[in-house]
């Protein structure tokens, strides 16, 4: 009985030393922070585009540290709302808001794209009798989706930086 407990304690003692999680947004000037701090985000049209742009700038500027932009991130959004779940009177009871982002990271010195990828997220919205409540739910969904898209993009940029841009 003591042997398994001792083995478990030994494994738990080694766990923090073997953990390789590192914060992407740290003030350290590692590879990821260097690349993320050197990205300027091109304006994105529409309200949802503004939300995504704001989320990206917030995440990327936390690593900037006064460095000059070396890359330009261009994002093209596809924002859709589609109804499904129909009542007997043909009214919609549920909507799905889908946000897809095609993005390109371009080297400003060469003008060549160095990364092209897609990010996406979905949110369900209940359609109730109050139009105000439905619009408020759609707005809230777009805010959550903008955060999710920004997280995916910054995460992918960090992976790109780690693998050696």
């Amino acid at each position: 009985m003591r042997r398994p407990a001792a083995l478990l304690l030994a494994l738990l003692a080694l766990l923090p030393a073997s953990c390789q999680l590192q914060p992407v947004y740290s003030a350290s000037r590692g590879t990821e922070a260097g690349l993320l701090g050197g990205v300027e985000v091109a304006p994105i049209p529409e309200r949802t585009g503004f939300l995504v742009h704001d989320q990206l700038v917030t995440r990327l500027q936390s690593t900037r540290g006064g460095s000059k932009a070396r890359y330009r991130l261009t994002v093209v959004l596809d924002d859709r709302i589609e109804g499904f779940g129909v009542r007997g009177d043909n009214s919609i009871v549920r909507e799905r808001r889908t946000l897809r982002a095609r993005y390109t990271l371009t080297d400003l010195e060469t003008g060549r794209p160095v990364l092209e990828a897609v990010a996406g997220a979905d949110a369900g919205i209940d359609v109730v009798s109050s139009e105000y409540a439905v619009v408020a739910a759609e707005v809230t969904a777009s805010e959550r989706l903008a955060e999710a898209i920004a997280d995916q993009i910054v995460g992918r940029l960090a992976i790109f930086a780690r693998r050696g841009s």
Side-chain angles (χ1 to χ4, degrees), residues 113-128:
V114 294
L115 174 67
E116 293 179 315
V118 177
D122 301 278
I125 302 166
D126 288 325
V127 177
V128 294

